[in-house]
C-alpha cells in the first residue's frame, strides 16, 4: 500500500499548473523564433538592383608596386594590381606574346579603352575580374620579380596568375596562356580613374561606352 506523503496533494494539482506554464513557455518560444526569423528572412531578400550596380571607389594610394588588392564589385572579385616597370617590360616581350592564346585581346573580354598591350587605362594598374574563364575558379596572384627561371619555365608564367583548380595560367595583363583549359583572357570591368589614386569600378571614362554584360565569357 502506497503511503501518502505531505507532497501528494500538491502533486495532484501539478498537471494543471504545468499545462499553463507550458502554454506560456510555448508562446514565448514562438515569439522568439519569429523575432529571429524576421532578420534571417530579410537577409535572404535580394539586394536592390540599383544599389548592387552602384560604382565602387577603390583607394590605391597605399598600393606599393608589385602589390595587389582584391575588392568586390557586383558580387565578383576584382583584382587591382600595381605593376612594376619590370612587369611592364615583360608584358611587351615578344617571346611572351608567342605563348599567349589571345595576346592582342581580339576577343571581347575588355572595353575598347583597355584593348592594348597592358589591357588597362594606364599601364601601371591592371584591373581584372578574378574569375577563371574555364570553370569559374579564382586564380591566385603569383608574382615572381627577380626570380630565377623555373624548370618548367615554358609552361609557367614569370609572374602572373595561376588557377588552382585545373592549371590555367594568365600573365600580369590577365591574358591566358596557350595550352590552358581557360579559353579566354580574364575580363576587364568598366572603370576609370577620377584622380591618380582612385579607381572607380562600374563606370566608364567620359565619352566611352562599355556594357560588361556583352563580354564573351566569364
Amino acid at each position: 500500500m502506497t503511503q501518502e506523503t505531505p507532497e501528494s496533494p500538491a502533486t495532484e494539482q501539478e498537471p494543471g499548473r504545468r499545462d499553463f506554464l507550458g502554454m506560456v513557455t510555448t508562446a514565448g518560444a514562438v515569439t522568439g523564433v519569429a523575432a529571429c526569423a524576421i532578420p534571417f528572412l530579410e537577409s535572404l531578400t535580394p539586394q536592390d538592383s540599383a544599389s548592387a550596380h552602384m560604382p565602387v571607389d577603390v583607394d590605391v594610394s597605399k598600393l606599393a608596386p608589385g602589390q595587389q588588392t582584391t575588392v568586390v564589385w557586383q558580387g565578383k572579385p576584382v583584382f587591382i594590381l600595381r605593376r612594376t616597370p619590370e612587369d611592364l617590360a615583360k608584358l611587351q616581350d615578344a617571346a611572351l606574346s608567342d605563348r599567349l592564346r589571345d595576346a592582342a585581346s581580339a576577343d571581347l573580354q575588355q572595353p575598347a579603352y583597355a584593348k592594348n598591350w597592358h589591357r588597362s587605362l594606364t599601364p601601371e594598374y591592371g584591373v581584372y575580374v578574378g574569375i577563371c574563364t574555364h570553370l569559374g575558379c579564382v586564380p591566385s596572384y603569383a608574382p615572381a620579380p627577380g626570380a630565377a627561371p623555373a624548370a618548367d619555365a615554358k609552361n609557367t608564367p614569370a609572374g602572373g596568375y595561376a588557377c588552382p583548380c585545373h592549371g590555367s595560367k594568365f600573365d600580369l595583363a590577365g591574358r591566358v596562356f596557350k595550352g590552358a583549359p581557360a579559353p579566354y583572357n580574364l575580363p576587364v570591368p568598366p572603370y576609370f580613374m577620377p584622380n591618380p589614386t582612385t579607381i572607380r569600378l562600374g563606370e566608364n571614362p567620359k565619352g566611352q561606352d562599355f556594357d560588361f554584360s556583352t563580354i564573351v565569357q566569364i
Side-chain angles (χ1 to χ4, degrees), residues 67-150:
Q67 287 187 336
Q68 174 179 284
T69 187
T70 302
V71 297
V72 177
W73 171 72
Q74 292 191 4
K76 305 174 183 66
V78 174
F79 300 156
I80 298 177
L81 170 67
R82 185 176 181 184
R83 295 178 287 214
T84 65
E86 293 77 14
D87 293 336
L88 297 177
K90 290 176 184 176
L91 291 181
Q92 299 177 80
D93 188 347
L96 172 63
S97 296
D98 290 341
R99 297 167 55 202
L100 300 172
R101 177 169 289 168
D102 184 14
S105 300
D107 291 321
L108 182 59
Q109 287 290 96
Q110 64 284 310
Y113 50 83
K115 190 177 179 181
N116 45 47
W117 62 268
H118 47 85
R119 298 188 75 227
S120 58
L121 276 173
T122 175
E124 186 176 5
Y125 292 102
V127 182
Y128 330 103
V129 174
I131 298 177
C132 179
T133 55
H134 178 221
L135 292 177
C137 302
V138 178
S140 300
Y141 173 42

